């Protein structure tokens, strides 16, 4: 009888443990609500987890997405800023923060993020976005620095050389501009046009 009771109790404990494993947790329930478009319930669940200190990507992404869907762009930015503060080495999170700054129409913060990304991982797209942003803001010295980095990492577009040369010439750096034109000639001789040739001659006259 004791053996029977012991065996029955063991089976009951195992069955209870198995049933508990089958009960979805908060994250699973929130995800189910999110996928089933019960956004209000999903928002409550994800917000509760975030406020309780669960700052994982699996909570951050759906919660910030729900913020954006509800038009609370600043709320999404705040979430991402908190995550980046805790994970400063996450390039993916920093990139997403930059996108949220764009949504929030905060150009200065967006340019700051581009600058960070350009220093850590100077991808062509990042450098181009940063160069255009500096151009729009009239920060031509910074644009010159960015175009130099772009040419150094991906010297495939002749227009980058010409843009850099014109900026350098406009800032009074004739020798630098002439050196850039020489680079253009060496790396993309077929791209030398009347415009670039005239600039070269003018620069040669200025530097003689």
């Amino acid at each position: 009888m004791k053996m029977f009771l012991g065996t029955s109790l063991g089976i009951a404990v195992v069955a209870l443990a198995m049933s508990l494993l089958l009960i979805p947790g908060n994250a699973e329930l929130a995800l189910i609500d999110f996928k089933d478009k019960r956004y209000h319930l999903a928002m409550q669940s994800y917000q509760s987890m975030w406020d309780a200190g669960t700052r994982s990507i699996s909570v951050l992404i759906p919660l910030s997405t729900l913020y954006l869907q509800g038009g609370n762009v600043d709320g999404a930015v705040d979430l991402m800023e908190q995550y980046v503060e805790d994970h400063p080495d996450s390039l993916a999170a920093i990139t997403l923060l930059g996108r949220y700054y764009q949504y929030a129409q905060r150009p200065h913060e967006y340019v700051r993020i581009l600058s960070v990304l350009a220093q850590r991982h100077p991808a062509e797209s990042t450098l181009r976005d940063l160069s255009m942003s500096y151009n729009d803001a009239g920060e031509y010295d910074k644009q010159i620095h960015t175009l130099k980095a772009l040419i150094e990492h991906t010297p495939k577009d002749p227009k980058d050389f010409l843009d850099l040369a014109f900026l350098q010439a406009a800032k009074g750096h004739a020798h630098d501009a002439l050196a850039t034109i020489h680079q253009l000639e060496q790396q993309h001789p077929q791209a030398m046009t009347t415009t670039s040739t005239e600039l070269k001659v003018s620069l040669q006259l200025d530097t003689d």
Side-chain angles (χ1 to χ4, degrees):
M1 184 66 177
K2 289 183 180 180
M3 182 179 295
F4 175 76
L5 288 174
T7 302
S8 299
L9 181 59
I11 293 173
V13 169
V14 172
L16 178 60
M18 292 292 291
S19 65
L20 289 175
L21 289 174
L22 295 175
I23 297 174
N26 291 337
E28 289 78 9
L29 289 172
L31 183 59
I32 291 170
D33 287 333
F34 185 81
K35 288 183 175 180
D36 290 343
K37 299 183 179 180
R38 294 190 291 268
Y39 296 134
H40 180 68
L41 293 175
M43 170 72 86
Q44 289 180 332
S45 297
Y46 283 122
Q47 189 67 62
S48 295
M49 286 186 283
W50 184 267
D51 292 341
T54 304
R55 304 293 176 88
S56 64
I57 283 290
S58 61
V59 173
L60 170 67
I61 297 303
L63 182 56
S64 61
T65 300
L66 289 168
Y67 271 45
L68 292 174
Q69 286 182 350
N72 188 359
V73 181
D74 288 335
V77 167
D78 184 60
L79 290 176
M80 191 58 63
E81 286 178 335
Q82 292 178 51
Y83 186 84
V84 169
E85 185 177 352
D86 293 336
H87 303 83
D89 296 327
S90 174
L91 291 179
I94 294 171
T95 301
L96 193 55
L97 176 57
R99 188 180 306 166
Y100 285 6
Y101 281 143
Q102 282 186 294
Y103 296 159
Q105 298 183 350
R106 292 161 65 172
H108 296 296
E109 286 87 348
Y110 175 60
V111 171
R112 177 176 59 80
I113 291 296
L114 285 178
S115 179
V116 171
L117 291 172
Q119 291 175 5
R120 297 190 184 184
H121 182 65
E124 180 182 357
S125 59
T126 300
L127 291 170
R128 289 197 184 284
D129 287 346
L130 186 57
S131 176
M132 289 188 291
S133 296
Y134 284 144
N135 185 270
D136 292 341
E139 298 188 66
Y140 301 120
D141 287 332
K142 292 182 178 179
Q143 186 182 11
I144 286 173
H145 177 78
T146 304
L147 283 171
K148 285 181 178 179
L150 181 59
I151 288 172
E152 179 181 348
H153 288 91
T154 54
K156 64 183 182 181
D157 191 341
K159 185 177 180 300
D160 296 331
F161 291 84
L162 197 56
D163 288 345
L164 176 57
F166 271 113
L167 280 172
Q168 289 170 323
K171 297 294 290 185
H173 307 311
H175 286 91
D176 292 340
L178 186 58
T180 300
I181 289 295
H182 285 154
Q183 280 186 284
L184 173 62
E185 265 189 316
Q186 292 169 1
Q187 299 193 36
H188 301 282
Q190 76 287 351
M192 288 295 293
T193 63
T194 301
T195 300
S196 55
T197 302
E198 288 177 350
L199 177 60
K200 176 186 174 183
V201 172
S202 176
L203 291 169
Q204 288 174 327
L205 292 173
D206 288 342
T207 56
D208 281 345

